[in-house]
C-alpha cells in the first residue's frame, strides 16, 4: 500500500454551528464551501474545500462535544502563501493566531506555520509550503 495524501478529515460541529463554520472557513480563511447537497438534505455533512484533492467534512450534530487535549490536537493545511502573508490575511480577517512556529516538521519537511482555533475549538495549523 502506498498512500499519497489525506483525502478528507471528518469533524463534528454543533447542530447550530453551520453559519459559524461557513463564516470561519469560507469568509475568514478563504476556503471553498460546498454545501448544495447538505442544503438539499441529500447528505448529512458539508465540505470545506482545501484543494482539488482534499476536504474537511463538517458534520452538524446535536451530540457535539468540544475537542479536548486528550482526543484531538490539530489538522494541518499547507497553503501557498509565505508565512508573513498568511499572518496578514488572518489579521485582516480578524482571526487570532494562537501561536507561530518557525520550523515544525510536517509531511514534506520543515516550514513556518501558524495555529488558529475555529469557532468549535478545533485547532487548525496553516503551514507554508516547503
Amino acid at each position: 500500500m502506498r498512500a499519497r495524501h489525506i483525502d478528507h478529515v471528518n469533524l463534528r460541529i454543533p447542530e447550530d454551528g453551520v453559519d459559524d463554520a461557513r463564516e470561519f472557513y469560507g469568509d475568514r480563511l478563504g476556503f471553498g464551501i460546498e454545501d448544495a447537497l447538505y442544503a438539499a438534505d441529500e447528505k448529512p455533512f458539508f465540505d470545506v474545500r482545501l484543494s482539488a484533492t482534499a476536504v474537511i467534512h463538517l458534520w452538524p450534530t446535536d451530540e457535539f462535544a468540544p475537542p479536548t487535549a486528550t482526543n484531538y490536537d490539530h489538522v494541518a493545511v499547507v497553503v501557498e502563501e509565505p508565512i508573513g502573508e498568511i499572518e496578514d490575511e488572518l489579521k485582516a480577517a480578524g482571526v487570532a493566531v494562537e501561536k507561530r512556529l518557525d520550523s515544525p516538521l510536517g509531511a514534506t519537511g520543515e516550514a513556518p506555520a501558524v495555529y488558529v482555533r475555529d469557532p468549535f475549538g478545533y485547532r487548525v495549523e496553516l503551514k507554508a509550503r516547503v
Side-chain angles (χ1 to χ4, degrees):
M1 185 178 329
R2 291 179 292 158
R4 295 192 186 277
H5 60 82
I6 293 174
D7 181 85
H8 68 275
V9 174
N10 285 315
L11 298 179
R12 294 179 186 269
I13 65 172
E15 196 165 38
D16 63 354
V18 173
D19 289 338
D20 289 339
R22 286 184 182 122
E23 193 263 335
F24 180 78
Y25 287 102
D27 298 339
R28 291 184 178 213
L29 297 187
F31 297 129
I33 302 296
E34 298 175 359
D35 60 358
L37 294 176
Y38 172 78
D41 285 330
E42 293 182 25
K43 69 179 189 179
F45 62 90
F46 61 98
D47 295 326
V48 175
R49 175 64 60 184
L50 302 174
S51 71
T53 60
V55 294
I56 298 174
H57 295 314
L58 295 179
W59 294 73
T61 178
D62 61 356
E63 298 173 1
F64 173 77
T68 67
T70 61
N71 66 0
Y72 175 85
D73 189 64
H74 70 279
V75 61
V77 178
V78 175
V79 295
E80 293 294 321
E81 297 85 358
I83 197 70
E85 287 181 31
I86 296 167
E87 289 177 307
D88 290 344
E89 287 181 32
L90 293 171
K91 183 177 180 181
V95 177
V97 172
E98 188 173 279
K99 72 177 177 176
R100 174 185 169 156
L101 295 176
D102 289 325
S103 58
L105 183 61
T108 58
E110 293 182 1
V114 293
Y115 298 79
V116 299
R117 293 269 174 190
D118 81 358
F120 319 109
Y122 293 112
R123 187 177 353 179
V124 179
E125 176 183 348
L126 301 168
K127 186 176 183 72
R129 192 164 54 122
V130 173

